[in-house]
Amino acid sequence: MSNIETGDMALPPLAAYVHIPWCVRKCPYCDFNSHTHQGGLPEDAYIDALIADLDADLAHAHGRELTSIFFGGGTPSLFSAAGLGRLLTAMQRRLRFASNIEITLEANPGTFEQAKFKDYRAAGINRLSIGIQSFNPDHLKALGRIHDGREALAAVDMARRAGFDNLNLDLMHGLPSQTLEQALADIEQAIALGPEHLSWYQLTLEPNTVFYSRPPKLPEDEVLWDIQEAGQARLADASYAQYEISAYARDDRRARHNLNYWQYGDFLGIGAGAHGKLSHADGRIERYWKTRQPTDYLNPDKPFCAGRKSFSASELPFDFLMNALRLVDGVPSAWYTERTGQAIADIAPVLDSAVERGLLEPWQQQLRPTAQGRLFLNDLLEMFL
């Protein structure tokens, strides 16, 4: 494949992901880098390490402004607002924040109180993503969650009282022994709470999880299909527009941080096990990852960065499209060249074949999957391997 000159490859928007790896309890379906904490959290030491980690990555920011920050985990709401505020202040001293920067904190019901929410808002966090997963007590128990349905309702109320006007609720479906009626009841309850954004996704059994080694009884495929169809229809009726495989938003309140991932933007990754993606001035595109174990990450004798991978020209089509084609509307075709440095003509025969198979819309202006392409996204992406 041919490489476009570096001058034609504009540096994309830049975001930052901050990983806080501790949880009260590890959920049996979770394959994220999360660790049950014993006793007190090393909050101050960890924030010091995050700042030092950021300092090591600053050279890669190329003077760009930061468009979003996402605190993920783990359970970031285990950390104090004062601690996260200290980190945000340090970040703003080192990086230029966009005037409308989106700063999201993942939180779980049961790990906070209303006063803490007010302090988070005062610290500059302007978006909350609350991990509810279900309102059904039996399903919450099966998922190993530490909250109940009442705490989930209270969490949303606390967030609103604290001044948050941009909320995401995480919901799962296809849960152990879940019926269509139960899945729709979860959606109805979520809609009644009026969040600006809903992440609604199917439970999958991931390697290196308890559920993978001891699989629960999941709904049959026919039931899963019925849940998917009925749930999407109900969300559309309630004015939640689907813009990605599992993301729905009202009033165009799409998650800007996640959009940056899917639109092949860049992001700094700091924290134990965090991943990042960088476009370099010489045309290289690189992904990197940080030391995974918190004890190693906090060890001053060990490096923060655990590995890096630069993509070859033959690897870039898949890496770009596995993100862009998750979006219902896809991305402008011109972005392929702008954000990979590769000529789109090089993959035109494969794109044409995908159109012929009914998986991709005509691609000259927009790289957009068809409805069939979204259903069989893996088949579509495999064409670019």
Side-chain angles (χ1 to χ4, degrees):
M1 293 187 177
S2 59
N3 191 283
I4 301 297
E5 291 185 5
T6 303
D8 290 336
M9 182 178 153
L11 292 177
L14 180 69
Y17 174 78
V18 182
H19 192 73
I20 296 176
W22 290 282
C23 285
V24 175
R25 184 168 65 193
K26 180 86 170 179
C27 296
Y29 58 85
C30 179
D31 68 336
F32 295 134
N33 183 33
S34 60
H35 307 264
T36 302
H37 74 87
Q38 305 291 336
L41 291 171
E43 180 176 310
D44 288 339
Y46 192 74
I47 289 172
D48 288 342
L50 289 170
I51 295 170
D53 190 1
L54 178 63
D55 282 338
D57 281 356
L58 279 181
H60 305 302
H62 301 297
R64 286 177 286 175
E65 70 177 15
L66 210 58
T67 60
S68 65
I69 300 170
F70 194 100
F71 290 97
T75 307
S77 54
L78 291 174
F79 270 27
S80 71
L84 297 184
R86 178 165 75 90
L87 176 59
L88 285 172
T89 298
M91 294 178 75
Q92 193 163 18
R93 286 174 179 161
R94 290 160 171 80
L95 293 161
R96 181 163 46 94
F97 282 17
S99 60
N100 63 343
I101 189 169
E102 176 191 271
I103 304 178
T104 301
L105 175 75
E106 284 188 335
N108 286 334
T111 63
F112 50 77
E113 62 280 345
Q114 186 172 329
K116 196 172 182 181
F117 264 23
K118 288 181 178 178
D119 291 342
Y120 285 142
R121 187 68 190 88
I125 293 162
N126 54 28
R127 183 174 183 270
L128 283 181
S129 180
I130 303 177
I132 289 173
Q133 315 310 354
S134 177
F135 297 94
N136 183 297
D138 293 333
H139 294 144
L140 288 171
K141 183 178 180 180
L143 292 173
R145 305 297 288 173
I146 63 171
H147 69 274
D148 58 29
R150 288 175 299 177
E151 286 176 305
L153 299 178
V156 175
D157 180 63
M158 290 177 192
R160 293 301 195 196
R161 290 176 182 270
F164 284 96
D165 62 359
N166 196 0
L167 294 182
N168 170 66
L169 303 185
D170 269 0
L171 279 184
M172 300 175 73
H173 61 91
L175 306 180
S177 303
Q178 187 180 47
T179 65
L180 170 62
E181 292 73 22
Q182 289 170 331
L184 291 177
D186 275 346
I187 288 179
E188 291 296 341
Q189 178 62 84
I191 290 171
L193 293 171
E196 286 69 31
H197 191 282
L198 279 168
S199 297
W200 186 62
Y201 51 95
Q202 183 177 320
L203 171 65
T204 56
L205 305 185
E206 302 289 351
N208 302 314
T209 65
V210 172
F211 273 3
Y212 191 81
S213 59
R214 297 196 296 273
K217 180 176 175 53
L218 300 181
E220 300 291 337
D221 287 346
E222 183 176 337
V223 175
L224 293 173
W225 181 254
D226 289 344
I227 290 173
Q228 186 76 28
E229 282 197 317
Q232 287 182 335
R234 181 65 188 100
L235 288 167
D237 287 343
S239 299
Y240 285 94
Q242 183 183 17
Y243 67 96
E244 188 266 347
I245 288 175
S246 59
Y248 304 77
R250 272 181 173 169
D251 303 321
D252 203 31
R253 299 295 289 273
R254 300 180 295 175
R256 280 188 274 134
H257 186 86
N258 291 341
L259 268 177
N260 189 56
Y261 291 150
W262 300 320
Q263 294 174 343
Y264 216 55
D266 282 353
F267 52 98
L268 301 172
I270 62 173
H275 285 239
K277 171 191 169 282
L278 295 169
S279 303
H280 293 280
D282 60 7
R284 287 181 301 116
I285 293 176
E286 167 186 74
R287 292 189 184 271
Y288 65 94
W289 51 97
K290 298 299 174 63
T291 298
R292 184 176 176 86
Q293 290 295 326
T295 51
D296 292 336
Y297 184 82
L298 288 167
N299 186 339
D301 295 326
K302 296 191 175 183
F304 293 121
C305 190
R308 297 183 179 273
K309 173 183 171 54
S310 292
F311 286 87
S312 67
S314 63
E315 293 173 315
L316 280 169
F318 180 83
D319 196 58
F320 178 88
L321 292 169
M322 76 172 182
N323 290 284
L325 295 182
R326 290 181 62 92
L327 292 168
V328 172
D329 291 332
V331 298
S333 300
W335 285 10
Y336 179 76
T337 295
E338 291 175 9
R339 299 194 175 182
T340 69
Q342 305 298 312
I344 198 168
D346 290 338
I347 60 170
V350 187
L351 294 172
D352 289 339
S353 179
V355 173
E356 291 173 6
R357 290 178 56 182
L359 300 176
L360 192 72
E361 302 284 359
W363 57 269
Q364 284 71 21
Q365 301 299 320
Q366 193 84 358
L367 292 167
R368 178 191 296 134
T370 62
Q372 187 82 348
R374 293 198 302 273
L375 286 174
F376 297 97
L377 183 59
N378 288 341
D379 293 340
L380 173 55
L381 293 174
E382 284 174 3
M383 298 178 69
F384 297 92
L385 287 173

